[in-house]
Amino acid sequence: MFDIANLSAGVIILLLRVAVVFMLYFFLWQVVRVVSRDLLAGPGAPAAQANPYGQLVVASSGQTGIPVGKVFPLSPAMVIGRSTETDVALNDTFLSSEHARLERRNGVWSLEDLNSTNGTYLNGFEVRAATEVNDGDVIRVGRVELKLVIR
């Protein structure tokens, strides 16, 4: 004899299995789409377009584990240091909590060491007083080198 209850339970289970497989493939397709869009855009592309001041890009990270190419959007006044309270927080034991200040005054970027233990360097030279910084200059704090990219 024909049992309608068994048949409808079987159909419901089959439909649920098909729905789960569909959702899995849909999720994977979305992941591939987002990853490929990010890879085609390149590192830091959205931040560079959205920020009128420019950005600091990690050029060398020493042994800190900070990914090379990581982007920090610029603001008119920024503090670089090890503390999570700073604008550019870098996980480097050679940094002071508040290591250096990068500030824009009258349209000119200025770098100042905040009495750090290991010093702040601009293009290989130690910064002893507020020093002008230009596009493409490399700032070294601790073991991390940051390149200034002004848009």
Side-chain angles (χ1 to χ4, degrees):
M1 210 154 136
F2 186 68
D3 187 11
I4 191 82
N6 258 348
L7 179 65
S8 37
V11 168
I12 290 173
I13 290 174
L14 176 67
L15 290 175
L16 287 174
R17 286 181 179 173
V18 169
V20 167
V21 169
F22 173 77
M23 293 300 288
L24 177 66
Y25 280 109
F26 181 73
F27 173 76
L28 290 175
W29 176 72
Q30 291 289 343
V31 168
V32 168
R33 197 179 76 147
V34 168
V35 169
S36 64
R37 181 180 56 209
D38 287 348
L39 287 175
L40 290 175
Q49 295 169 356
N51 190 339
Y53 297 108
Q55 58 197 6
L56 284 174
V57 180
V58 176
S60 173
S61 61
Q63 298 171 345
T64 62
I66 300 167
V68 173
K70 180 175 172 120
V71 173
F72 295 97
L74 291 177
S75 63
M78 304 178 67
V79 175
I80 303 168
R82 189 179 66 233
S83 170
T84 56
E85 302 293 318
T86 59
D87 301 302
V88 179
L90 302 170
N91 186 21
D92 185 357
T93 56
F94 284 83
L95 287 178
S96 300
S97 293
E98 291 186 350
H99 195 93
R101 177 181 294 119
L102 183 63
E103 194 171 22
R104 185 178 167 132
R105 298 180 195 147
N106 301 324
V108 177
W109 286 99
S110 174
L111 178 66
E112 178 182 4
D113 184 69
L114 299 176
N115 297 320
S116 64
T117 304
N118 294 320
T120 301
Y121 295 84
L122 178 64
N123 297 324
F125 296 99
E126 187 172 6
V127 174
R128 297 183 189 264
T131 306
E132 184 177 331
V133 186
N134 297 307
D135 185 32
D137 284 349
V138 176
I139 300 166
R140 183 167 59 87
V141 288
R143 294 177 284 190
V144 180
E145 291 183 352
L146 302 164
K147 184 175 182 179
L148 181 69
V149 179
I150 301 172
R151 301 272 177 209

